Amino acid sequence: MPGISKAQMYECAKRTIAAEDAHQAIPQLIHTFPDLTFEEAYQIQDIRAKFRIEQGFKAIGYKMGLTSKAKQQMLGRTEPTYGRLFDYMPLGENEPLELKKHIQPKVETEIAFVMKEALQGLDVDIATVLKATDYIVASLEIIDSRYIDFKFSSQDGIADNISASRIKLGSIKISPNDTDLAALGIKININGTDVANGNGAAVLDHPANAIIMLVKMLHREGKFLEAGQIVMTGAVTAAYKLAAGDKVTATFDVLGELTLTVV
Ligand code: OOG
Ligand code: MG
């Protein structure tokens, strides 16, 4: 006997979408469904994605979460997870983050991949990922949990599209073969203070490993990574809470600088 019915899964998906759209935090789903499994949580995420597509949004890729020690420590767990990206998420180059459209946003620095070939199955290694990649770019991810006080279980996070909210991609595109992605350094500065730095190796020793893990997780669910899709490989450093007036500058070796202003 499953602990949660299909109808209740639809209800959960609607709850986190309504919270995102109304910018209003909700209690964790696990309070109502304490036995929620990872599999059920991904089913809720799937239903949530279908609702977004029915609303007219386009799925543009995936994001990996908890692929670095910094993020794993922040959430007190080590299992990487994935979520979906939609076409309402990318911010334009000079577009600020409007706090009134969010609940409790935090910023992360990530290396993003854009695929030129589909990837599927279990037989994927770093070389296969690099070969299938069109280019990599610098990116900022703005996460925004729909749960009160940004507190949630793994299952809650997965059901809530692992806090996906906005992304900002850099304009310098390079081939992943033209640079050592593990050594690629990233610095994040907020309001003139350097808050953290790291490199590509912080993400599972090499950011392409995040894509390998994603493709394997998708394969278990009968899905695959399509050509043209974007993959955010996960935060290199911790996530930082944003407030009105903040100015974030992220400096990436080779990939240039990204800025974000919060209004
Ligand atoms: C989950 C999303 C994690 C990352 O890069 O590790 C994530 C969260 O922290 O809310 O985006
Ligand atoms: Mg992230």
Side-chain angles (χ1 to χ4, degrees):
M1 256 300 275
I4 181 167
S5 69
K6 260 268 155 357
Q8 287 168 325
M9 284 187 194
Y10 274 79
E11 191 44 49
C12 288
K14 277 194 183 142
R15 254 150 74 178
T16 74
I17 283 211
E20 182 177 355
D21 292 350
H23 331 123
Q24 187 68 55
I26 53 169
Q28 296 179 48
L29 305 175
I30 208 100
H31 292 168
T32 318
F33 302 102
D35 300 325
L36 197 67
T37 65
F38 277 67
E39 210 181 319
E40 288 162 344
Y42 275 113
Q43 285 174 36
I44 296 172
Q45 191 193 110
D46 252 347
I47 297 166
R48 193 185 199 284
K50 286 195 187 100
F51 282 143
R52 283 300 188 215
I53 286 161
E54 277 168 25
Q55 289 170 328
F57 297 109
K58 203 169 157 281
I60 57 168
Y62 293 91
K63 57 163 287 187
M64 285 294 283
L66 307 196
T67 50
S68 66
K69 291 240 154 41
K71 281 294 305 195
Q72 291 174 356
Q73 274 161 9
M74 235 180 136
L75 295 195
R77 54 187 88 116
T78 55
E79 178 84 358
T81 51
Y82 79 82
R84 332 286 172 111
L85 303 176
F86 291 94
D87 61 354
Y88 68 88
M89 295 178 176
L91 291 172
E93 194 182 336
N94 298 312
E95 192 178 341
L97 185 81
E98 290 182 74
L99 266 191
K100 65 172 190 294
K101 294 187 181 165
H102 297 271
I103 303 168
Q104 45 200 342
K106 295 183 186 180
V107 66
E108 302 176 334
T109 49
E110 309 202 5
I111 297 171
F113 285 58
V114 177
M115 311 312 297
K116 68 174 174 218
E117 289 165 23
L119 273 180
Q120 59 186 313
L122 300 174
D123 192 19
V124 185
D125 59 18
I126 291 184
T128 332
V129 171
L130 300 186
K131 194 177 152 289
T133 302
D134 191 2
Y135 58 86
I136 56 157
V137 283
S139 67
L140 293 176
E141 186 187 11
I142 292 88
I143 53 171
D144 193 13
S145 174
R146 272 58 73 168
Y147 301 110
I148 294 165
D149 296 335
F150 229 108
K151 290 206 175 76
F152 50 88
S153 67
S154 298
Q155 293 90 319
D156 283 303
I158 291 163
D160 182 37
N161 200 21
I162 62 166
S163 315
S165 179
R166 294 290 183 274
I167 60 173
K168 190 164 202 173
L169 300 181
S171 55
I172 299 174
K173 302 171 180 178
I174 68 160
S175 158
N177 300 306
D178 288 351
T179 195
D180 177 358
L181 290 184
L184 194 138
I186 302 173
K187 275 191 305 214
I188 177 163
N189 177 296
I190 303 181
N191 304 327
T193 305
D194 286 332
V195 290
N197 62 70
N199 58 27
V203 173
L204 300 171
D205 298 329
H206 190 293
N209 282 324
I211 302 205
I212 296 174
M213 203 171 252
L214 170 66
V215 172
K216 289 183 176 170
M217 288 196 281
L218 292 176
H219 183 73
R220 284 205 297 263
E221 298 168 22
K223 301 186 190 117
F224 66 99
L225 185 56
E226 293 168 44
Q229 288 190 314
I230 304 169
V231 183
M232 305 284 291
T233 53
V236 165
T237 65
Y240 298 93
K241 200 170 182 337
L242 293 169
D246 281 351
K247 184 171 179 207
V248 180
T249 307
T251 312
F252 291 66
D253 288 348
V254 194
L255 297 173
E257 197 175 276
L258 267 173
T259 58
L260 176 73
T261 310
V262 184
V263 297

